Amino acid sequence: MRILLLIFLFLTSINSFACECSELNKNNIQKFKDKVDYILIGTVIDQLNPEKTEYLNYSWKKEKEAYDIIVKVKKIFKGKIQSDTLYVTQFFNGACSTKFIAGKDYIFTGKEIKKFVDQNEKLNNVSDSITQNNSIPLLKTDNAAPEYKFEKGIIYDHFENGATKWNSLLKKHKMIWTNQCYSFNISNNLGQLLIK
């Protein structure tokens, strides 16, 4: 009984964190447009799951919804894409992540991802240096890469199997980073304001 109560409390506490989006209106819409690399309309055609996570595969097969997706581009308002396919991801968005439904059209906006960097590799290099030298190396923290952040087109994260799979996707199609504050249902008033 205690375990069930703890699980219930944990799950309800997760839902208590809400995503706060900046208010988007006619006065600041141009500033928003300038901030993003892409504005487009696209249809969700598949999930994006390079890690082959069983839970994500099960969720996609059962509900046809996913956080990270493959999009068939219908119309571009900002940005350049050579193919008609785009990858869309929501890395480390937490409560601001949203599920996209297969076959539905959305207005996607976001920043282009140019590279994935595995923070685990940096930690392994530091521990190797300690082992080899029997000393603790000096670390410069001024310009250290942020953890779990998106900066200048680079996503820094702790990838379980390295960032190789994600970086290989970037060779096939462009990828953008988005969340529920950046992408909208096709009928959403804010989304419509973006594509006018």
Side-chain angles (χ1 to χ4, degrees):
M1 185 66 175
R2 284 183 184 171
I3 293 174
L4 288 174
L5 181 60
L6 286 173
I7 292 171
F8 173 76
L9 290 173
F10 175 74
L11 291 175
T12 55
S13 68
I14 289 173
N15 292 333
S16 66
F17 297 105
C19 177
E20 291 186 30
C21 301
S22 300
E23 187 176 335
L24 197 57
N25 55 48
K26 289 181 182 179
N27 298 328
N28 63 9
I29 195 79
Q30 190 56 49
K31 188 176 179 182
F32 180 87
K33 286 180 178 182
D34 293 342
K35 191 166 84 169
V36 297
D37 297 325
Y38 290 94
I39 301 172
L40 58 96
I41 294 175
T43 307
V44 178
I45 57 173
D46 203 352
Q47 73 166 327
L48 182 62
N49 183 12
E51 305 282 337
K52 306 292 185 214
T53 307
E54 286 182 36
Y55 169 75
L56 295 178
N57 280 336
Y58 175 79
S59 178
W60 178 255
K61 287 176 184 171
K62 184 178 179 197
E63 300 170 7
K64 290 294 185 197
E65 296 177 333
Y67 293 104
D68 302 317
I69 53 174
I70 303 171
V71 171
K72 181 88 162 176
V73 178
K74 294 176 100 173
K75 188 168 183 180
I76 300 170
F77 298 92
K78 182 179 180 183
K80 292 184 181 177
I81 302 170
Q82 279 70 35
S83 74
D84 64 350
T85 304
L86 179 74
Y87 297 133
V88 177
T89 187
Q90 300 181 77
F91 265 96
F92 55 76
N93 276 313
C96 286
S97 294
T98 187
K99 281 191 175 180
F100 297 106
I101 301 168
K104 280 190 77 175
D105 288 350
Y106 293 90
I107 298 168
F108 294 100
T109 74
K111 298 289 230 169
E112 182 177 356
I113 298 172
K114 297 178 178 138
K115 186 179 181 183
F116 291 89
V117 174
D118 186 0
Q119 294 290 77
N120 288 326
E121 289 174 13
K122 290 183 178 199
L123 292 174
N124 289 340
N125 291 339
V126 169
S127 65
D128 287 348
S129 176
I130 292 170
T131 305
Q132 291 169 0
N133 300 328
N134 290 326
S135 65
I136 298 173
L138 295 172
L139 293 176
K140 272 190 164 182
T141 55
D142 298 346
N143 297 321
E147 270 189 61
Y148 306 105
K149 295 263 181 163
F150 180 87
E151 185 174 271
K152 296 179 184 173
I154 301 173
I155 285 187
Y156 298 91
D157 202 350
H158 294 283
F159 294 90
E160 190 173 315
N161 298 316
T164 309
K165 292 177 186 176
W166 286 94
N167 280 318
S168 68
L169 290 172
L170 298 177
K171 294 175 184 171
K172 293 180 185 177
H173 301 293
K174 298 256 185 188
M175 186 182 297
I176 65 168
W177 175 83
T178 194
N179 61 33
Q180 74 178 15
C181 301
Y182 280 73
S183 292
F184 310 92
N185 287 322
I186 197 77
S187 60
N188 181 285
N189 291 337
L190 293 175
Q192 288 297 315
L193 193 60
L194 278 169
I195 60 176
K196 283 185 180 175

